Amino acid sequence: MRNREIAELLYETADIMEFQQIEWKPRAYRRAAQNIENFGEDIEKVYEREGKEGLTGIPGVGESIADHIAEYLETGKVEKFEKLKVKAPSGTAELMEIRGLGAKKMKRLADALEIKTMSDLKNAVNAHRIRKLEGFGEKSEENIARAIENYEKSHSRIALGKALPLAEEIISALKTELQTRTPNVDLSKIIYTGSLRRLKETIGDIDILAEAEDKEAGKVMNAFVSLPATGQVVSKGRTRSSVILKEGLGIDLRVVPPESYGAALQYFTGSKEHNIQLRNIALKEGYKLSEYGLYAKGSGEQVAGKSEEEIYRKLGLEYIAPELRENRGEIKAAAKNALPRLVDAGDLRGDFHMHTNYSEGRESLEVMIEKAEAMGYEYIAVTDHSRSQRIANGMEIETLKTQWKEIKELSKRFRIKILRGSEVEILKDGSLDYPDEILKELDIVVGAVHSGFFASEREMTGRIVASLENKHLDILAHPSGRLLGKRAAYAVNFGKVFEAAAAGGKVMEINCQPSRLDLNDELILRAKDHGLKFCISTDSHSIPDLSSMRYGLGQARRGWLEKEDIVNTYPYSKLKEVFKKIRD
Ligand code: DGT
Ligand code: CA
Ligand code: CA
């Protein structure tokens, strides 16, 4: 289904037109885009079957827009839109990506302050010129600053969900190479470090560490730079090499001798801020800490370095899990033996967000259940889309009831508890997309916002808070709505959202999709301060998606969460105390 893609194209074009002060058209384009988004059928199919004629049957799509859509479906681009982009002053397209400001406002801003490029905009923010502009103020300036930050982050970094499998592949290829060539290298000591080991949501470059005696180091480097995935060798030395993968991502490899392995692992895992703090502690305790080891200041004798544990212990600290090493109070907590007992993969007993081919999932209900059971889960909630989410083939009530029947049948054959759920649209007014008599029949209601992303903060906050006041809603799905690299979070007051959620006893989702990771670590920490509980959910649309649990788990651990904070670690009997509609 390409409806969403085509709608996006029209939205984007509307923005560019508006920026160029073309009148009327942007509105027409947006209206068409919206109707295409909500159109029940795949418009590519409509076009194949009925040609352009069929396209003009969609409300808001006139002759000329139909022409453009047809051209796009045939050739993959629209000549006229390409020209528009070229005609726009250079930098416009980039500026248009700074969401959080409408195109009109952005245009006014650009004109008033002679902003043509992203760097002009950044300068204006830094010099606080925007807040002085009529109709803008401090808040708009902060929003723009945040949007720029998001934009930069998403355009120079890659998602954890992409970097992690890539690093695992590289390490495994490297091990295979070394296995035959260098039997003296301890393969268990080849490990990714850096932001990847901390499971940060995006990764700047991959850092790998290997342990080898000096005389073996050269062989490790040789094997590394000649891996098939390597595109370009940036530098190659005896202890450090850097390459750029064919995929475009950089990898650093460092090789250290056994007596420094732990110190190097600690140092290159970072974060830099954590390391700086740790080094200060070392100094206070009469040591010097570097990537080679922990040394007594006077004698220069090495007192630790083989393992990370040893270093933390010598500094009088509890071992700090990599996910916590962000200088957010973890060192103080470690000194007092007060670190959280972080949730582990083995603690998870189920998944509360999963789609089947009843809506937009790829597999049948039965196949998904079978896989979930094989993964050892105790329970799983089936949460296909509700009826208004047409673009994702949302379910009418009759279809939902058919699904309930099938769940009942499957429940006889499987050990796993299958929960009747739904990912229910939170509509514009904050109401839910099924009537109460349906909602109360569901074991788990996962509420979600999938539209109106450009609403004001007040509107969006009101919408979400209203949904949280609904007694039928159990879980708030991907609460910020961001898509890494594509769409910033919508404007919403999280203080109010978390307050309302806590008052209603609602559960916050940590969505595991690599482009979502929503809530993220910072919001998790804030939500936990409100006393909220969480669930880690894959939002699976296919079998492989069911394994993305580890990405959300990483964010939960970065947010200091313990087993008790996460409801899908609870045994089924206890789960029934959280979600009271569960029947048996
Ligand atoms: P990234 O690559 O931007 O996602 O983030 P990291 O944390 O992987 O950073 P990277 O690759 O620049 O460096 C890897 C680790 O090396 C970093 O987490 C901590 C350590 N490190 C790098 N530069 C410094 C530094 O100037 N001081 C200290 N103390 N540590 C550093
Ligand atoms: Ca890195
Ligand atoms: Ca690096």
Side-chain angles (χ1 to χ4, degrees):
M1 183 111 150
R2 296 175 71 187
N3 295 17
R4 189 175 293 175
E5 178 190 335
I6 289 164
E8 284 288 328
L9 175 78
L10 294 178
Y11 280 128
E12 188 197 28
T13 307
D15 283 348
I16 294 176
M17 286 173 162
E18 196 153 76
F19 204 79
Q20 294 177 18
Q21 290 182 309
I22 296 173
E23 294 199 46
W24 303 115
K25 274 195 181 169
R27 261 184 73 187
Y29 272 62
R30 288 206 185 96
R31 204 176 54 222
Q34 202 173 11
N35 288 330
I36 288 169
E37 229 175 353
N38 292 325
F39 195 65
E41 211 189 330
D42 187 343
I43 72 169
E44 190 172 18
K45 291 222 179 82
V46 172
Y47 176 65
E48 275 165 17
R49 198 178 56 228
E50 301 166 41
K52 248 172 10 204
E53 210 87 328
L55 296 178
T56 49
I58 301 168
V61 177
E63 288 288 334
S64 84
I65 294 181
D67 277 339
H68 297 323
I69 296 174
E71 184 182 341
Y72 185 74
L73 289 171
E74 300 280 355
T75 68
K77 62 178 181 194
V78 181
E79 205 62 39
K80 190 177 152 199
F81 297 173
E82 298 295 317
K83 280 202 190 119
L84 258 181
K85 269 193 212 165
V86 176
K87 244 181 35 202
S90 69
T92 307
E94 207 184 22
L95 286 176
M96 292 313 312
E97 298 222 19
I98 300 303
R99 295 301 166 109
L101 268 198
K104 247 189 216 147
K105 233 178 153 182
M106 182 55 95
K107 169 77 179 149
R108 209 144 53 73
L109 179 69
D111 287 347
L113 299 177
E114 292 185 14
I115 289 168
K116 293 200 181 62
T117 63
M118 188 68 84
S119 83
D120 293 346
L121 184 64
K122 257 167 86 172
N123 291 338
V125 168
N126 292 338
H128 296 314
R129 273 185 279 143
I130 294 171
R131 64 176 66 180
K132 289 177 202 133
L133 215 61
E134 206 193 312
F136 282 84
E138 214 163 303
K139 190 102 199 226
S140 320
E141 190 173 278
E142 277 163 20
N143 285 343
I144 295 171
R146 210 176 35 193
I148 295 176
E149 203 181 303
N150 273 328
Y151 175 84
E152 290 186 334
K153 253 199 241 158
S154 63
H155 282 76
S156 59
R157 305 177 63 83
I158 77 160
L160 173 66
K162 198 171 165 207
L164 186 54
L166 206 56
E168 284 170 339
E169 256 172 59
I170 301 279
I171 288 176
S172 134
L174 186 58
K175 284 182 179 172
T176 309
E177 272 297 298
L178 292 174
Q179 211 149 27
T180 45
R181 279 203 228 178
T182 48
N184 294 330
V185 173
D186 181 351
L187 298 182
S188 73
K189 299 246 170 84
I190 301 179
I191 185 173
Y192 53 81
T193 65
S195 51
L196 196 53
R197 184 158 178 251
R198 305 198 309 279
L199 297 177
K200 219 176 137 156
E201 62 187 30
T202 60
I203 306 298
D205 75 341
I206 296 175
D207 302 279
I208 298 177
L209 176 69
E211 176 190 293
E213 298 287 357
D214 272 359
K215 57 182 191 313
E216 308 284 350
K219 292 182 205 159
V220 179
M221 288 304 180
N222 286 340
F224 175 64
V225 300
S226 53
L227 289 175
T230 297
Q232 184 196 341
V233 179
V234 179
S235 65
K236 182 175 174 241
R238 217 171 37 83
T239 61
R240 176 182 174 170
S241 297
S242 289
V243 306
I244 296 175
L245 294 179
K246 287 182 183 140
E247 305 238 356
L249 188 67
I251 304 197
D252 286 345
L253 172 70
R254 278 152 184 116
V255 180
V256 296
E259 66 272 18
S260 293
Y261 177 77
L265 181 55
Q266 195 291 312
Y267 182 89
F268 292 115
T269 295
S271 66
K272 191 170 160 184
E273 292 72 21
H274 173 91
N275 287 354
I276 290 169
Q277 279 295 106
L278 203 64
R279 201 163 48 207
N280 289 339
I281 302 231
L283 286 174
K284 255 191 245 147
E285 301 286 319
Y287 298 113
K288 232 189 102 221
L289 177 64
S290 74
E291 64 263 50
Y292 304 107
L294 184 67
Y295 301 91
K297 230 194 281 175
S299 66
E301 188 195 349
Q302 182 174 346
V303 296
K306 272 198 178 64
S307 76
E308 279 190 315
E309 285 79 0
E310 190 181 46
I311 290 170
Y312 284 106
R313 201 179 326 121
K314 273 275 185 308
L315 295 176
L317 302 172
E318 229 184 312
Y319 176 75
I320 302 174
E323 296 93 329
L324 294 178
R325 300 182 197 170
E326 297 290 347
N327 194 28
R328 291 173 179 156
E330 72 278 9
I331 293 180
K332 270 212 182 89
K336 290 189 291 193
N337 267 324
L339 284 174
R341 294 159 66 111
L342 296 181
V343 56
D344 259 323
D347 295 330
L348 296 168
R349 293 171 186 257
D351 194 342
F352 295 137
H353 195 157
M354 180 264 276
H355 298 272
T356 72
N357 59 13
Y358 272 93
S359 65
E360 65 174 346
R362 202 176 306 158
E363 305 290 346
S364 68
L365 179 57
E366 183 176 356
V367 166
M368 291 300 274
I369 298 300
E370 198 170 30
K371 178 65 183 172
E373 177 159 303
M375 288 171 75
Y377 284 149
E378 205 176 317
Y379 44 80
I380 187 156
V382 180
T383 55
D384 278 304
H385 285 288
S386 65
R387 55 188 177 182
S388 292
Q389 186 62 356
R390 298 237 188 85
I391 198 162
N393 196 20
M395 288 157 73
E396 293 299 336
I397 291 172
E398 281 318 304
T399 323
L400 184 64
K401 288 184 171 168
T402 309
Q403 189 180 55
W404 291 350
K405 276 194 204 120
E406 192 182 347
I407 288 175
K408 198 168 168 195
E409 284 309 307
L410 291 173
S411 294
K412 293 177 192 154
R413 290 178 26 218
F414 288 94
R415 169 196 50 79
I416 190 171
K417 292 280 182 191
I418 311 168
L419 300 171
R420 278 155 47 156
S422 174
E423 181 176 15
V424 179
E425 288 304 297
I426 297 172
L427 302 174
K428 293 253 157 69
D429 62 358
S431 65
L432 299 179
D433 194 22
Y434 285 129
D436 286 356
E437 64 262 30
I438 293 298
L439 295 173
K440 72 179 204 295
E441 293 295 319
L442 288 163
D443 297 319
I444 288 190
V445 172
V446 181
V449 169
H450 289 114
S451 62
F453 298 113
F454 296 108
S456 70
E457 179 178 312
R458 211 168 54 98
E459 279 173 314
M460 189 58 93
T461 306
R463 178 177 177 184
I464 295 177
V465 165
S467 77
L468 293 166
E469 285 165 354
N470 187 324
K471 69 171 187 218
H472 295 298
L473 184 136
D474 297 301
I475 296 172
L476 182 62
H478 39 73
S480 86
R482 65 105 176 251
L483 288 179
L484 279 165
K486 288 202 198 112
R487 185 172 76 210
Y490 32 68
V492 65
N493 182 332
F494 272 108
K496 289 193 175 144
V497 167
F498 293 152
E499 212 171 278
K506 309 303 186 192
V507 171
M508 292 295 107
E509 180 179 270
I510 300 170
N511 188 294
C512 296
Q513 280 191 19
S515 61
R516 288 197 183 271
L517 297 182
D518 180 10
L519 296 174
N520 68 5
D521 51 359
E522 283 166 24
L523 286 170
I524 292 170
L525 285 163
R526 279 180 66 187
K528 186 173 174 171
D529 271 347
H530 283 80
L532 283 160
K533 297 279 185 216
F534 303 81
C535 63
I536 307 176
S537 301
T538 60
D539 193 354
S540 287
H541 287 65
S542 67
I543 298 278
D545 286 355
L546 285 167
S547 311
S548 59
M549 208 47 120
R550 60 178 177 160
Y551 307 125
L553 182 69
Q555 306 319 300
R557 289 168 61 92
R558 290 175 59 80
W560 292 52
L561 296 188
E562 306 186 326
K563 187 173 163 182
E564 198 52 33
D565 296 316
I566 293 164
V567 296
N568 51 325
T569 65
Y570 295 0
Y572 191 64
S573 53
K574 188 171 167 190
L575 198 66
K576 290 199 269 190
E577 293 164 22
V578 181
F579 302 120
K580 300 214 167 59
K581 282 174 292 180
I582 296 179
R583 271 150 279 239
D584 56 13

